[in-house]
Amino acid sequence: VQLQASGGGTVRTGDSLRLSCAPSGRTFISAASGWFRQAEGKGREFVASITWGTARELYADSVKGRFTISKVDANNTVFLEMKSLRPEDTAVYYCAAAPVGPSYYSEYEPKRFRWWGQGTLVTVSS
């Protein structure tokens, strides 16, 4: 399974962007999808996740109220709507999908996710 992330770009503070993540190749079933980001020189951090069954949404405190994760069941596509962007949101954004089944890890943690997209760069200028 390969995930294709898109929608990144360079914007100004206060602007909006919408990221998309769609699987390529065969159809697959996942338990949850998530977005993580990695700023230059920093580790990968959780941004948001959504479960496919119950559509439970989780957000990092830093993006609550500004970012919204959503999904389209028909084609396994996940979106991240980002509003009121700030320079500190600058990072490479990665989408990920978690396999069905029990896991020791929560949807806040990268280890919960098995499949990853290639990343899309978001740059927010002040």
Side-chain angles (χ1 to χ4, degrees), residues 35-47 91-96 108-111 113 115-119:
W35 287 95
F36 291 77
R37 66 187 182 187
Q38 187 165 12
E40 188 172 352
K42 297 187 177 181
R44 190 167 296 190
E45 68 168 346
F46 169 78
V47 176
V92 177
Y93 283 71
Y94 298 91
C95 62
Y108 289 104
E109 302 172 276
K111 289 185 177 181
F113 298 86
W115 302 286
W116 291 82
Q118 82 286 5

Side-chain angles (χ1 to χ4, degrees), residues 54-107:
T54 61
R56 181 184 65 158
E57 299 172 27
L58 298 175
Y59 296 94
D61 288 343
S62 59
V63 306
K64 277 181 183 176
R66 301 188 298 122
F67 291 12
T68 303
I69 189 170
S70 61
K71 61 182 179 69
V72 175
D73 292 349
N75 55 10
N76 280 21
T77 300
V78 179
F79 301 97
L80 185 68
E81 188 79 37
M82 305 185 295
K83 298 181 179 179
S84 302
L85 283 162
R86 306 167 180 168
E88 53 264 39
D89 295 318
T90 295
V92 177
Y93 283 71
Y94 298 91
C95 62
V100 174
S103 174
Y104 179 80
Y105 303 99
S106 75
E107 282 83 20

Side-chain angles (χ1 to χ4, degrees), residues 15 20 24 28-29 43 49 52 60 103-104 106 117-118 121 125-126:
D15 285 351
S20 301
S24 61
F28 75 107
I29 297 174
S49 68
W52 283 91
S103 174
Y104 179 80
S106 75
Q118 82 286 5
L121 177 62
S125 62
S126 57

